[in-house]
Amino acid sequence: HSNTFILTNICLCCPTTMNSCICLQYTEDCRAEMYPPNGPTFRGAVSWYTVDLDLPPSKRWTALITAKKTDVKMLSNLADAFVPSGRLIELVDITLPLMADTLPNPFSDEIKGIATASGIPLGEVVLFNIFYEVFTVCTSIVAEDDKGNLIHGRNLDFGLFMGWDVKNKSWIISEKLKPLVVNLDFKRNNQTVFKSTNFAGYVGMLTGIKPHMFTLTMNERFSLDGGYIGILEWILGKRDGMWMSFLTRSVLENANSYEEAKALLAQTKLLAPAYFILGGNRTGQGCIITRSRLLSIDILEIDLKLGRWYVLETNYDHWKEPLFLDDRRTPGMKCMNQTTQKNITLKTMYDVLSTKPVLNKLTTYTTLMQVSEGKLESYIRDCPNPCIVCTNHQSLSPQRCHLALFSRNT
Ligand SMILES: *[C@@H]1O[C@H](CO)[C@@H](O)[C@H](O)[C@H]1NC(C)=O
Ligand SMILES: *[C@@H]1O[C@H](CO)[C@@H](O)[C@H](O)[C@H]1NC(C)=O
Ligand SMILES: *[C@@H]1O[C@H](CO)[C@@H](O)[C@H](O)[C@H]1NC(C)=O
Ligand SMILES: *[C@@H]1O[C@H](CO)[C@@H](O)[C@H](O)[C@H]1NC(C)=O
Ligand SMILES: *[C@@H]1O[C@H](CO)[C@@H](O)[C@H](O)[C@H]1NC(C)=O
């Protein structure tokens, strides 16, 4: 078929014994007719909950946490996955509870409220809240259709480097997080202020919409001056940067236009680098803000005159090549280009976000947002085997190939 393309054909070879090579091949057509979501890549729908911003911060999450108590209890096990050997027990039991007090409000009180409502130790709730800042890889797209409507889609991929379950052939954390995915409607005076897709127990925002004004997603940006340094500095008492997902939350809550959101996201000092992907409500309003901790390094905007009717961000600076092992940008752009501006809708964007490796083993949820209708919808995803096509020149079975590539000890 003419749509078929070979995305990558990678070989990893051991330099001393060139006969032990593992080759990886992704082969996938741009998907079509995936919407409404169904079939093996669709795990399930996401339920809605209300967060009442008129309640004191310590009480805002109680209803949600109570409703999701069984799933939220799994957060306790997540601490083991984050810190596999249990070596950092002291960190979780002693340092992190103290850290809750150093976080700005309302986040500090909200996190304490979640610990109280769930019965999970405060240190573990803090851990859950800060480690998203470090381990999220994603794909975000803002596109403008030929009528000037802005559409924003994202896959949230989470759990890299945190353990491959050999038996289940899945990333342990990604699996545990799926039951925690919720859609939230944040209200004040009984009116929606903003909506988001989130994980129960997490107070920052990775994906959200301010209806009729703007849409926002955040993707992690890996950098030497990365998350660990800023977080360490925070623990050691140097606290002049803002947590990235607290900034996105505060922008969704307080900014009242695309321009205001853009300025806040570009100018606020952060604890770690990040990409902010922002969509507005008028033609031309869509951008990727590439951030260092201190400042905005680059803003790439939709520019119809240049033929740029969408912007797409994974986890690499748009002016650089992506890591060869993790090129989700080329297939994502290829499928966007095939779709064309004329045919882009929430439905066709779901198709793009369902194409491997944009959809992959780490993909936890897909969210689609249409600002003009104030619409946010999200879906829990799966990427059933064979999610990556593993081939090799030796006698490695596909299972061994997966293991070799993805187990923590390799
Ligand atoms: C692996 O799969 C089994 C059976 O489906 C399930 O009981 C178990 O919880 C899974 N393990 C993880 C870590 O997801
Ligand atoms: C809040 O709004 C909903 C519908 O938007 C309405 O049914 C409900 O009565 C309102 N509640 C209060 C307390 O005003
Ligand atoms: C777009 O956002 C601006 C700024 O918030 C607002 O004034 C305007 O009414 C919005 N336009 C539409 C069509 O919703
Ligand atoms: C998609 O189209 C854009 C604009 O024409 C072009 O720059 C880019 O190389 C294309 N990408 C792929 C992967 O086809
Ligand atoms: C766009 O959609 C129309 C109607 O569904 C279809 O006939 C056409 O082939 C599509 N174009 C592309 C480039 O997919």
Side-chain angles (χ1 to χ4, degrees):
H1 196 280
S2 64
N3 285 354
T4 306
F5 53 94
I6 293 177
L7 299 173
T8 45
N9 192 351
I10 310 158
C11 292
L12 303 176
C13 299
C14 181
T16 50
T17 54
M18 286 304 282
N19 61 341
S20 52
C21 290
I22 301 158
C23 295
L24 250 185
Q25 198 175 55
Y26 287 111
T27 317
E28 172 105 316
D29 295 350
C30 292
R31 304 305 300 249
E33 305 297 326
M34 299 292 289
Y35 191 96
N38 64 77
T41 66
F42 172 55
R43 164 87 62 102
V46 178
S47 324
W48 280 95
Y49 295 87
T50 297
V51 178
D52 183 354
L53 294 169
D54 291 323
L55 290 174
S58 63
K59 300 276 186 249
R60 287 175 187 168
W61 298 92
T62 306
L64 167 66
I65 298 300
T66 306
K68 297 287 280 184
K69 201 151 191 163
T70 324
D71 296 325
V72 172
K73 281 282 180 198
M74 289 198 315
L75 282 178
S76 291
N77 306 331
L78 287 181
D80 299 336
F82 281 131
V83 190
S85 58
R87 247 176 286 153
L88 293 188
I89 288 290
E90 190 181 296
L91 175 76
V92 176
D93 286 351
I94 299 165
T95 312
L96 292 180
L98 295 175
M99 202 165 135
D101 284 320
T102 72
L103 299 175
N105 261 322
F107 306 108
S108 175
D109 285 351
E110 288 187 9
I111 287 173
K112 288 179 194 166
I114 289 169
T116 307
S118 63
I120 296 172
L122 181 57
E124 290 182 21
V125 181
V126 172
L127 184 74
F128 182 65
N129 272 274
I130 64 179
F131 269 64
Y132 276 98
E133 309 271 350
V134 186
F135 290 111
T136 319
V137 294
C138 328
T139 302
S140 295
I141 310 172
V142 181
E144 179 172 333
D145 72 12
D146 60 357
K147 294 174 196 69
N149 290 312
L150 284 140
I151 295 161
H152 192 150
R154 82 111 90 245
N155 274 359
L156 188 112
D157 304 347
F158 187 80
L160 191 60
F161 307 132
M162 282 189 290
W164 176 253
D165 184 330
V166 178
K167 278 214 211 77
N168 295 20
K169 299 199 194 66
S170 58
W171 294 91
I172 292 162
I173 295 252
S174 312
E175 285 311 302
K176 291 196 170 169
L177 280 177
K178 286 177 189 178
L180 296 179
V181 178
V182 287
N183 287 330
L184 300 175
D185 188 346
F186 289 81
K187 292 192 165 182
R188 200 176 275 130
N189 298 323
N190 201 24
Q191 301 259 311
T192 296
V193 181
F194 64 102
K195 299 192 269 195
S196 85
T197 307
N198 213 319
F199 296 109
Y202 183 58
V203 302
M205 296 293 129
L206 300 169
T207 306
I209 180 170
K210 190 126 186 181
H212 310 291
M213 286 186 205
F214 62 86
T215 52
L216 174 59
T217 56
M218 181 178 95
N219 291 8
E220 170 158 16
R221 179 167 180 252
F222 303 102
S223 154
L224 287 179
D225 180 29
Y228 298 107
I229 295 171
I231 290 168
L232 269 179
E233 281 182 2
W234 187 283
I235 292 171
L236 297 175
K238 182 165 179 276
R239 301 188 181 127
D240 55 351
M242 185 141 178
W243 295 84
M244 292 71 67
S245 62
F246 292 174
L247 174 61
T248 46
R249 156 94 184 260
S250 120
V251 164
L252 281 162
E253 207 166 319
N254 302 310
N256 284 312
S257 69
Y258 172 79
E259 283 83 7
E260 191 186 344
K262 190 169 153 188
L264 284 166
L265 294 166
Q267 290 161 16
T268 308
K269 191 174 171 191
L270 297 174
L271 283 191
Y275 300 104
F276 297 119
I277 301 87
L278 182 68
N281 66 6
R282 290 198 269 116
T283 177
Q285 291 186 331
C287 66
I288 300 166
I289 302 170
T290 301
R291 280 293 315 258
S292 73
R293 292 172 62 189
L294 288 183
L295 45 89
S296 153
I297 295 174
D298 180 88
I299 300 184
L300 179 72
E301 302 193 70
I302 286 181
D303 189 334
L304 298 179
K305 281 196 222 78
L306 296 179
R308 190 160 60 227
W309 58 275
Y310 69 89
V311 288
L312 182 152
E313 177 56 49
T314 59
N315 301 92
Y316 305 96
D317 296 345
H318 68 82
W319 59 93
K320 291 185 190 154
E321 289 295 311
L323 181 68
F324 77 104
L325 262 173
D326 179 34
D327 185 5
R328 287 163 284 127
R329 183 204 292 162
T330 309
M333 289 184 71
K334 184 136 193 166
C335 295
M336 287 298 287
N337 288 0
Q338 275 187 22
T339 304
T340 72
Q341 186 183 15
K342 183 168 157 287
N343 278 5
I344 193 71
T345 57
L346 292 191
K347 176 179 173 299
T348 52
M349 191 172 278
Y350 187 81
D351 291 337
V352 175
L353 293 170
S354 301
T355 301
K356 292 186 245 177
V358 178
L359 178 79
N360 58 67
K361 277 282 176 204
L362 293 169
T363 305
T364 308
Y365 66 76
T366 297
T367 294
L368 304 170
M369 298 180 278
Q370 179 141 10
V371 74
S372 61
E373 291 173 23
K375 182 150 78 179
L376 175 149
E377 51 188 57
S378 61
Y379 305 96
I380 311 217
R381 303 307 301 268
D382 272 331
C383 188
N385 292 316
C387 182
I388 292 177
V389 184
C390 257
T391 59
N392 59 85
H393 297 321
Q394 266 220 324
S395 55
L396 279 179
S397 65
Q399 282 79 3
R400 292 291 306 269
C401 171
H402 257 128
L403 245 178
L405 280 165
F406 294 123
S407 70
R408 202 181 295 129
N409 299 326
T410 318

